[in-house]
Amino acid sequence: MSKIAIITGASSGIGRSLSIDLAEIGYRVVLVSRSDKKLQAVSNKILEKGGECLTISADISIPNEIKKIKKEASSFGDVSLVVNNAGVGKFDKIEDITLDDWNFQIDVNLRGSFLISQAFIPNMKKIKRGTLVFINSVAGKQAYPYSSVYVSTKHALRGLADSMREELRKDNIKVISIYPGAVNTPFWNDTGTNFPMEEMLKVENVSKSIVNAIEAPDNCTVEEMLI
């Protein structure tokens, strides 16, 4: 049976590494990101290793873009794995956070994950199998200063995943929340922070841990993983 996965934020960081790792174990992967150029680089890497992939340049915070993703991904086959990885962060004093800062992080981190999951759940129910993965953050478990909006989105994402898990359990759909600490990825480039990157988690190690959780056999589910 063909295994098809869709990964958002697939052009860099955890999404890029996950896309390559999943393709290596036999998944046909659908790569989603706003950057077509970066997606092509990931696609080339997968194809070089003998994998199969499809790239879709889209913004998951826009409902009409979700329709495009669903249509193109469904032409690839039955998607049984959705990895909600796309995420953004801006860190500043609460009084300096603008409404645009708030809306941008809510739209990508929370609304985008909700919309992309909602789009593929009906077919998962139809084929009686599926896995939804939410790449959250330690900020979904604990609050941090200068992170009020980011922390809000990640706590909300935790609630969304927890509720989906209880609702979809009977449909043989697994819901996995991943809570990584700081990972050495390009995520930090535009956040206005100056954290020591060399002390962060290696993206390759985080990716392999997530793949192990996804590949848990039969009715065994790693519902949460704190890395």
Side-chain angles (χ1 to χ4, degrees):
M1 183 182 296
S2 178
K3 299 186 293 184
I4 299 175
I6 182 166
I7 303 102
T8 67
S11 62
S12 65
I14 294 174
R16 177 185 184 278
S17 190
L18 265 177
S19 299
I20 294 168
D21 286 347
L22 288 169
E24 284 186 345
I25 61 171
Y27 279 86
R28 301 171 71 201
V29 291
V30 181
L31 316 175
V32 179
S33 171
R34 288 176 295 176
S35 174
D36 185 59
K37 183 178 179 180
K38 290 181 180 179
L39 280 180
Q40 288 304 317
V42 182
S43 173
N44 291 341
K45 186 78 171 177
I46 290 170
L47 295 175
E48 285 171 8
K49 291 173 174 282
E52 292 185 72
C53 64
L54 171 70
T55 63
I56 303 175
S57 178
D59 185 338
I60 64 166
S61 69
I62 301 173
N64 282 339
E65 295 279 271
I66 298 294
K67 293 178 183 178
K68 167 188 169 182
I69 293 168
K70 182 178 180 181
K71 181 179 179 180
E72 293 188 25
S74 296
S75 70
F76 209 43
D78 288 320
V79 174
S80 60
L81 170 62
V82 173
V83 180
N84 290 290
N85 169 72
V88 294
K90 183 167 183 180
F91 307 97
D92 210 338
K93 294 184 290 186
I94 183 65
E95 64 267 31
D96 292 332
I97 294 290
T98 66
L99 184 57
D100 285 343
D101 294 334
W102 172 271
N103 287 336
F104 181 49
Q105 291 177 80
I106 290 285
D107 289 350
V108 176
N109 297 356
L110 183 59
R111 186 170 75 173
S113 295
F114 161 70
L115 289 173
I116 200 81
S117 298
Q118 187 186 52
F120 290 97
I121 285 170
N123 196 61
M124 288 182 179
K125 287 184 174 181
K126 181 180 177 182
I127 65 176
K128 296 182 172 56
R129 61 186 173 87
T131 302
L132 300 170
V133 179
F134 294 87
I135 308 301
N136 201 300
S137 162
V138 288
K141 294 273 193 179
Q142 178 179 333
Y144 295 90
Y146 310 108
S147 311
S148 55
V149 184
Y150 185 74
V151 166
S152 295
T153 65
K154 293 303 187 177
H155 272 66
L157 190 64
R158 176 185 178 185
L160 175 66
D162 286 353
S163 184
M164 281 187 176
R165 182 180 300 116
E166 298 309 313
E167 180 176 341
L168 300 174
R169 195 186 302 275
K170 67 182 185 302
D171 298 298
N172 196 35
I173 298 174
K174 301 179 181 183
V175 179
I176 304 170
S177 286
I178 308 294
Y179 300 93
V183 184
N184 189 343
T185 73
F187 170 86
W188 301 102
N189 293 350
D190 299 314
T191 59
T193 58
N194 188 28
F195 299 130
M197 303 286 283
E198 68 278 2
E199 295 180 10
M200 295 182 178
L201 294 165
K202 291 183 179 179
V203 68
E204 297 84 2
N205 295 341
V206 172
S207 179
K208 285 177 173 33
S209 298
I210 296 169
V211 170
N212 287 338
I214 291 170
E215 288 294 281
D218 301 324
N219 64 347
C220 176
T221 307
V222 179
E223 295 186 344
E224 294 189 340
M225 179 182 286
L226 179 64
I227 308 176

